[in-house]
Amino acid sequence: MIHETPFFLLLGILIIQFSQAQSSGKLSITGDTNIGIRLSSLKDSYFGLTLQQELNIGRIEAPLERFGDGLLVTALWEYPRQIGNSDFYGYPGGGIHFGGYKESFTFGIDLIAGVEYRFPSSPFILSLDVKPHFPLTSERKEGISTGLSFRYKF
């Protein structure tokens, strides 16, 4: 039996912290919203959707991926930085994942590191990343996935 109490406690703490930072003015939406697809190297999750929101202190990304017969949602905090004077950006980050499939629940920690190319004079972004994941619950094993994402910038 999986104990979901730690997950909901952590999720509640994160929501409270995010709300406090936003209401105090320390956190604000300052940039673009990007939406697209992510192709993954994971055996049970080859295709997913991804949403990014630029903030004044980094950005949040929420990939939604098929996981076996269920869904896997990841919430990542990323820090994109321009590489020189180019249209390339590098980004490290981390976050959590949770999801369910076949009466099973998974929750864990994720890291991410990637490079993206922002096409000049165009709303398109192409990125390549490496994302290690460390499940804290379920029988899912830790591992590393690679991803190729194509996003549209609003």
Side-chain angles (χ1 to χ4, degrees), residues 14 22 32 63 70 87-88 100 109 139 143 145 149:
L14 289 173
Q22 190 173 18
D32 300 318
D87 294 314
F88 285 94
I109 298 170
E139 297 171 8
S145 69
S149 298

Side-chain angles (χ1 to χ4, degrees), residues 15-97:
I15 289 170
I16 290 169
Q17 290 295 323
F18 184 81
S19 298
Q20 287 176 345
Q22 190 173 18
S23 65
S24 69
K26 294 179 183 173
L27 179 67
S28 62
I29 296 173
T30 58
D32 300 318
T33 301
N34 310 318
I35 190 166
I37 60 170
R38 182 175 191 270
L39 305 174
S40 174
S41 66
L42 282 180
K43 184 176 90 173
D44 293 332
S45 176
Y46 295 116
F47 175 80
L49 301 175
T50 177
L51 174 69
Q52 291 179 332
Q53 179 61 60
E54 301 285 337
L55 304 170
N56 61 328
I57 52 173
R59 74 174 170 213
I60 53 174
E61 180 176 1
L64 174 66
E65 299 173 289
R66 185 180 142 267
F67 177 60
D69 292 333
L71 289 176
L72 184 68
V73 178
T74 307
L76 298 165
W77 198 281
E78 300 171 344
Y79 299 94
R81 298 291 178 249
Q82 189 173 17
I83 300 172
N85 259 349
S86 70
D87 294 314
F88 285 94
Y89 288 73
Y91 58 93
I96 60 172
H97 70 261

